Amino acid sequence: MFSVWNWVAHGLYLLLNVCSLEVSGGLVQSCGHIIPESPVLALGSNFTALCILNESCLDFGNIYANQIIWKIKNRVVPKEQYREINRTVSSVTFNDTSLLATPLTCNILADGQIEQNIYGITVTVGLPPEKPTNLSCIVYQVSRLTYPMNCTWNPGRHTFLDTHFRLKYRWPQENFPDCIPKDVNNSCTISDVQFFVNLEVWVEAANALGKAESDPLVLDPIEIVKPLSPHNLTVNSGILPTVLKLSWENRISAAVMKLKFNIRYRIVGSTNWIQVPPEDTASPRTSFSVQGLRPYTEYVFSIRCMKEDGVGYWSNWSEEKTGVTTEDKPSKGPPIWRIIDTSHSPASWTVHLMWKALEPFEANGVILRYEVTVRAKSSLSSPPEKYSVNTTNLTLKLLNGTYEVTVIAHNSVGASPPSVLLIPASNSKAPVKNVRTLPKDGKLWVGWTVPNSYVLKYVIEWCLVSNSSDCVIEWQNEPGNVQGTYLKGDIKPFKCYLITVYPLYADGQGSGQSVKAYLQQDRPSKGPTVQTKKVGKAEAVLTWNHLTVDEQNGFIRSYTIFYKTVDGNETAVTVDPSKTEYTLSSLTSDTLYTVRMMAYTDEGGRSGPDFTFTTQKFGKGEIEAIVVPVCLAFLLIVLLGVLFCFNKRDL
Amino acid sequence: MAAADSPSAALRRRDLCSRGIRLAGKMRSDVVDLLDTYVERQGLDASASVAAVEGVPAAAAERWDEQTGTQRLLENLAAYRAFRTLLAQMLEEQREQLGDADTALGRALAAVLLQVSAFAYHLEELLRLESRGPPSEEGAGPPPLSHLTLFEKKLRGLGVLRELAQWAVRSARDLRQLSKPSPGSSSAPSPAQSP
């Protein structure tokens, strides 16, 4: 029962709705329309729209075309731009579409001054496409048989509209499907092109306002190819130590094009690439021997190719491949020097021979051993002694005399030229003069005055002077025509170095001239410890030890002794740095004195610990001078007393 | 004598010849590769002997030396026009047979067809420079193949490709001869029309 009434109620409700829709259909139906509908307009052009009222609409309360109000978005268009065509049509004109916006609506002021919207259109303003320019294409080889062509162009100014670009290409007698760019508007890739036929390529741009075409490009794709780089590069060493042979496979067949190459190489670890002269690799090939290399050195090679006649683009550089040249015999003998120890007896020497290992570009391989020959020049009868060592030093016991030492370095290929050192019985030739040093740019420069005779070379020795370690000698050779050099080696600041310069002549050696030097000085790390040796009434003898080399940090230029009483001023006395004793005088007796010493280098001074002492109350002999007369006086009084007593008795 | 002996015509002839020679070289290389693929895909024996293909002139010319440049060009053009039709047929058959139009074999066939087409165009242009003009294409196409079995069709295809490879070599030679700068060698000495 209830459900039946429900159904009836629903049915009536629906019917009413349908009827009301029909009745109000006149209001829901649009009162007019605008032409053109959804126009696309060129920027800056002029535009006229018409709003046409429906006849049926006019019945609803006196609606006429002259009541129409045009609006852009929500701004009213000025009435000067309107024109009433007739009772039902109104037009609006815009001289410059750049002032237009969307939507453009046609509205009417109906009875009761209520503005009602009649119709609206979306207006799109933009520009026709500009002619695409700068069209250029390149064919990238992707695999042995695949050659896609990528073209790029300048799409021109922004059009504010949806603009489509197509890359079009054809042969004189054959058309191909257009290339449509994906996601971009300035490039397109054609999946495969044929060679040796002229291809005409151009770009077409189109949007709702028009079309534009670029100038056509006519090319044979074989002339714009970027080939794949050669691959499977192998490097082989041959018989010669300065040559490496490269082989590779080309990935572009000779039927397509002939290639020319660029080969570059560098030593492993270096960043400088060296190019093989391009004219040597300007023709088709699959191998090449690179010459002029260093022996026993690892090189990295890379190669690229392009069309033999130079038309097109170079490929990328191939993957790098390394190879090692074979060994060659050493190019130079090692520099030699010696330390002679005559401490045990002057007639018998302990000679420490030392030589420097060759640099890789001189060693040309792994040095396996050194052959040392010692020939006594003073006695021609004894044969030369030969030694074979694999270290860079040798210690021998020799009798006093003149010797010629030769060192030859051997690697697996052969022997170096000999290096010769003459050890004369005495260093009797002229020495250098005036050895001086100068710290410069973080290095220590040593200079000297050249002796008058012709010097073959100089040997500079240096060692670090320290109390805690031995003076280990380092050395270097210098050519005979220089007068100064920088010490090669790790020279530390604040440390004292003993530097000796020896001139070597063809037939002898000059004695070494030494100098001490610092790369950089500092104030001493400790001050001298002063104490008294002897204290008197008005004087005190102070004594101290010199600072050790490790404490000095520089050359000690002076000492200063500071002494004062408890409530007095401090007095300073400067002392020569060679002294170890000093006598203070004119002191007050029986007074507590505090004394300290400062040592100075060129960079500053440091004070030692304080030392206190008390001057004596009485000077030397003062006590005797008082006690003896007092005793004598006492003795005299006693004697006089005794004598007086005796005198009295007698009476 | 060819009327178009102006410098620009000579240049154009040289350009067409040189590009034609390179195209013939590439065509031969591609056809040789295509032969391998074709034999494999069609399940044939590479050494199978095939009878001469109908509709294709033989590449081996008996009196090649005696031919004029124009005669050679005309022979070449006839051959390549025939090849164009035959290869298009083969491509169609291959698509029907194997279904997928974009296989490697299909792509290779299409590429060779394009090159044959381009080469035919080169020949037409060269003939135009001879002020001879290329003959129009004859309406008669190749004989219909409906009577051939599938296997016979495959063998025919093999024959076509082998002959094309031979023709590519012959064409390169012909063009090299044509591009030699001896006057009079490129035109017919007699006013008699070539076939």
Side-chain angles (χ1 to χ4, degrees):
Chain A
M1 178 90 158
F2 178 72
S3 60
V4 170
W5 279 115
N6 240 343
W7 279 115
V8 170
H10 272 112
L12 273 171
Y13 181 67
L14 276 168
L15 199 60
L16 272 167
N17 266 334
V18 168
C19 290
S20 73
L21 262 172
E22 278 184 359
V23 164
S24 66
L27 287 172
V28 171
Q29 223 173 46
S30 71
C31 208
H33 63 282
I34 298 175
I35 48 172
E37 184 92 53
S38 306
V40 178
L41 306 170
L43 204 64
S45 62
N46 51 21
F47 169 66
T48 301
L50 298 172
C51 186
I52 301 166
L53 298 170
N54 288 345
E55 288 291 339
S56 55
C57 198
L58 300 172
D59 298 336
F60 282 98
N62 293 331
I63 295 171
Y64 296 103
N66 58 6
Q67 288 163 307
I68 283 174
I69 299 171
W70 290 92
K71 277 174 133 180
I72 297 175
K73 281 192 177 162
N74 283 324
R75 286 182 291 112
V76 176
V77 177
K79 285 212 161 22
E80 300 86 62
Q81 288 169 252
Y82 300 178
R83 209 158 67 86
E84 192 185 340
I85 310 282
N86 62 29
R87 209 165 62 95
T88 56
V89 179
S90 167
S91 80
V92 68
T93 305
F94 297 90
N95 281 333
D96 187 355
T97 47
S98 45
L99 302 170
L100 257 180
T102 217
L104 175 66
T105 50
C106 172
N107 309 281
I108 198 118
L109 211 56
D111 275 346
Q113 302 299 311
I114 300 167
E115 195 182 281
Q116 294 228 29
N117 172 255
I118 295 173
Y119 205 70
I121 56 166
T122 45
V123 178
T124 318
V125 181
L127 290 165
E130 248 184 337
K131 175 169 153 171
T133 52
N134 284 355
L135 176 61
S136 75
C137 301
I138 175 167
V139 174
Y140 290 96
Q141 184 188 9
V142 157
S143 73
R144 208 184 154 76
L145 300 170
T146 320
Y147 297 87
M149 179 163 85
N150 176 265
C151 293
T152 55
W153 60 88
N154 182 350
R157 66 177 169 216
H158 187 40
T159 56
F160 308 103
L161 301 172
D162 204 9
T163 307
H164 299 283
F165 290 85
R166 285 165 165 262
L167 182 70
K168 292 167 116 60
Y169 57 107
R170 63 167 186 213
W171 282 349
Q173 84 286 18
E174 189 115 12
N175 279 314
F176 297 99
D178 296 346
C179 179
I180 298 171
K182 258 201 183 87
D183 303 328
V184 290
N185 65 354
N186 62 352
S187 84
C188 198
T189 303
I190 298 165
S191 56
D192 205 12
V193 287
Q194 298 293 333
F195 295 126
F196 312 120
V197 192
N198 277 340
L199 189 64
E200 189 185 349
V201 185
W202 71 101
V203 180
E204 195 183 82
N207 65 14
L209 287 175
K211 269 192 194 178
E213 263 185 25
S214 70
D215 290 332
L217 199 61
V218 179
L219 44 79
D220 182 349
I222 198 69
E223 290 168 357
I224 47 166
V225 175
K226 182 180 163 106
L228 282 175
S229 58
H231 72 157
N232 291 349
L233 185 59
T234 56
V235 182
N236 287 312
S237 52
I239 309 162
L240 290 176
T242 55
V243 171
L244 282 174
K245 184 164 172 192
L246 265 61
S247 312
W248 61 87
E249 276 173 32
N250 293 319
R251 290 196 267 192
I252 193 165
S253 82
V256 173
M257 68 168 151
K258 295 212 190 103
L259 299 168
K260 68 171 179 178
F261 303 88
N262 274 168
I263 300 178
R264 65 178 187 181
Y265 59 95
R266 61 180 171 85
I267 297 177
V268 162
S270 151
T271 50
N272 278 1
W273 286 103
I274 305 165
Q275 287 258 8
V276 167
E279 51 272 15
D280 292 350
T281 50
S283 56
R285 59 197 315 128
T286 52
S287 66
F288 187 77
S289 290
V290 182
Q291 300 170 333
L293 302 173
R294 274 200 224 153
Y296 197 63
T297 308
E298 198 176 7
Y299 285 90
V300 183
F301 292 89
S302 177
I303 183 171
R304 65 177 183 175
C305 62
M306 81 173 289
K307 195 157 178 282
E308 191 185 12
D309 58 8
V311 175
Y313 302 91
W314 281 104
S315 71
N316 291 334
W317 287 103
S318 71
E319 257 184 40
E320 294 176 355
K321 202 81 184 32
T322 52
V324 186
T325 43
T326 53
E327 289 189 7
D328 195 8
K329 61 182 190 202
S331 57
K332 271 176 66 171
I336 325 171
W337 186 231
R338 88 293 179 276
I339 299 173
I340 302 176
D341 186 3
T342 56
S343 53
H344 297 296
S345 78
S348 161
W349 290 343
T350 305
V351 178
H352 303 280
L353 290 170
M354 45 198 185
W355 52 93
K356 291 194 196 284
L358 293 167
E359 294 290 323
F361 65 90
E362 292 164 335
N364 290 341
V366 176
I367 301 295
L368 300 170
R369 63 188 177 87
Y370 297 93
E371 192 185 290
V372 184
T373 309
V374 182
R375 189 167 16 170
K377 285 200 121 167
S378 31
S379 70
L380 294 160
S381 54
S382 55
E385 295 193 12
K386 281 197 199 267
Y387 306 86
S388 183
V389 294
N390 59 8
T391 51
T392 52
N393 53 29
L394 181 64
T395 303
L396 299 170
K397 281 207 168 15
L398 300 171
L399 293 172
N400 187 345
T402 301
Y403 293 89
E404 188 185 77
V405 176
T406 308
V407 177
I408 296 176
H410 289 265
N411 64 16
S412 61
V413 176
S416 72
S419 256
V420 181
L421 177 71
L422 182 70
I423 305 179
S426 62
N427 293 344
S428 54
K429 309 281 291 188
V432 299
K433 294 201 190 78
N434 192 21
V435 180
R436 57 207 180 276
T437 63
L438 183 68
K440 202 167 160 200
D441 302 327
K443 292 192 283 190
L444 197 56
W445 181 86
V446 180
W448 55 88
T449 305
V450 175
N452 284 336
S453 332
Y454 176 70
V455 177
L456 265 182
K457 59 178 154 194
Y458 295 97
V459 174
I460 325 276
E461 272 184 5
W462 71 90
C463 66
L464 201 161
V465 182
S466 168
N467 275 23
S468 54
S469 55
D470 293 335
C471 206
V472 175
I473 288 185
E474 290 182 58
W475 60 281
Q476 68 191 53
N477 275 350
E478 289 300 324
N481 58 355
V482 303
Q483 298 175 39
T485 186
Y486 286 97
L487 290 185
K488 300 178 182 102
D490 187 20
I491 307 292
K492 296 190 186 16
F494 322 137
K495 300 276 183 209
C496 183
Y497 288 88
L498 178 65
I499 301 168
T500 314
V501 181
Y502 296 88
L504 266 57
Y505 302 86
D507 53 353
Q509 196 177 296
S511 58
Q513 295 300 301
S514 300
V515 75
K516 281 192 176 159
Y518 286 87
L519 175 64
Q520 193 185 337
Q521 297 189 47
D522 196 13
R523 46 195 279 246
S525 57
K526 275 175 72 172
T529 307
V530 66
Q531 51 196 49
T532 50
K533 192 166 156 182
K534 195 163 139 203
V535 179
K537 184 179 170 195
E539 70 284 325
V541 177
L542 300 174
T543 181
W544 61 90
N545 286 329
H546 287 308
L547 294 171
T548 64
V549 166
D550 303 304
E551 291 163 345
Q552 281 178 13
N553 294 341
F555 297 114
I556 303 292
R557 301 297 183 199
S558 64
Y559 291 118
T560 304
I561 301 173
F562 297 92
Y563 62 97
K564 62 175 198 265
T565 56
V566 173
D567 50 2
N569 294 336
E570 196 169 50
T571 316
V573 178
T574 307
V575 176
D576 188 79
S578 57
K579 301 260 190 293
T580 53
E581 254 186 37
Y582 186 75
T583 305
L584 293 175
S585 50
S586 312
L587 301 175
T588 320
S589 63
D590 196 25
T591 318
L592 185 72
Y593 278 90
T594 310
V595 69
R596 65 185 173 92
M597 262 184 93
M598 272 186 86
Y600 291 91
T601 63
D602 289 334
E603 296 298 318
R606 179 121 17 205
S607 184
D610 288 349
F611 184 81
T612 49
F613 66 91
T614 312
T615 43
Q616 287 174 346
K617 201 166 186 177
F618 296 106
K620 208 175 182 173
E622 260 184 32
I623 295 176
E624 290 87 346
I626 292 170
V627 166
V628 165
V630 164
C631 284
L632 278 173
F634 183 68
L635 211 60
L636 205 65
I637 290 170
V638 164
L639 267 170
L640 280 172
V642 164
L643 274 169
F644 186 67
C645 276
F646 271 132
N647 267 353
K648 252 223 147 141
R649 240 217 208 152
D650 277 343
L651 285 170
Chain B
M1 281 292 289
D5 258 0
S6 58
S8 64
L11 261 167
R12 177 127 174 85
R13 179 189 302 125
R14 210 175 20 231
D15 177 55
L16 282 166
C17 281
S18 89
R19 280 196 287 113
I21 291 165
R22 282 183 289 167
L23 183 54
K26 179 157 193 294
M27 226 178 355
R28 182 176 178 277
S29 165
D30 286 354
V31 168
V32 165
D33 288 340
L34 175 55
L35 265 168
D36 291 337
T37 314
Y38 187 81
V39 156
E40 190 203 313
R41 292 291 163 85
Q42 305 286 34
L44 295 170
D45 177 7
S47 59
S49 62
V50 185
V53 182
E54 270 179 51
V56 178
E62 278 185 4
R63 297 207 175 91
W64 183 82
D65 291 349
E66 294 169 20
Q67 285 180 334
T68 62
T70 310
Q71 279 168 336
R72 293 197 195 111
L73 280 174
L74 287 167
E75 256 194 53
N76 270 275
L77 184 56
Y80 283 93
R81 279 176 172 171
F83 278 121
R84 189 164 54 194
T85 319
L86 286 165
L87 283 170
Q89 234 176 22
M90 278 172 68
L91 195 56
E92 197 55 49
E93 280 164 22
Q94 192 257 343
R95 280 178 187 152
E96 277 171 14
Q97 205 183 82
L98 297 176
D100 188 358
D102 198 32
T103 56
L105 179 58
R107 279 200 302 272
L109 262 173
V112 168
L113 175 54
L114 264 178
Q115 286 176 72
V116 164
S117 211
F119 196 74
Y121 173 72
H122 272 76
L123 294 167
E124 284 164 9
E125 284 296 295
L126 278 165
L127 278 166
R128 262 185 218 113
L129 280 178
E130 305 292 310
S131 19
R132 179 68 176 73
S136 59
E137 300 232 25
E138 281 138 31
L145 299 173
S146 48
H147 63 281
L148 293 175
T149 63
L150 181 61
F151 186 69
E152 282 168 335
K153 283 184 193 171
K154 287 183 186 182
L155 276 185
R156 190 162 187 269
L158 184 64
V160 166
L161 291 177
R162 280 189 185 153
E163 201 59 41
L164 179 55
Q166 304 273 48
W167 260 105
V169 175
R170 153 97 188 262
S171 303
R173 207 155 25 107
D174 288 345
L175 288 179
R176 252 180 239 119
Q177 196 67 22
L178 191 66
S179 62
K180 281 184 187 159
S182 43
S185 67
S186 60
S187 43
S190 66
Q193 297 286 323
S194 301

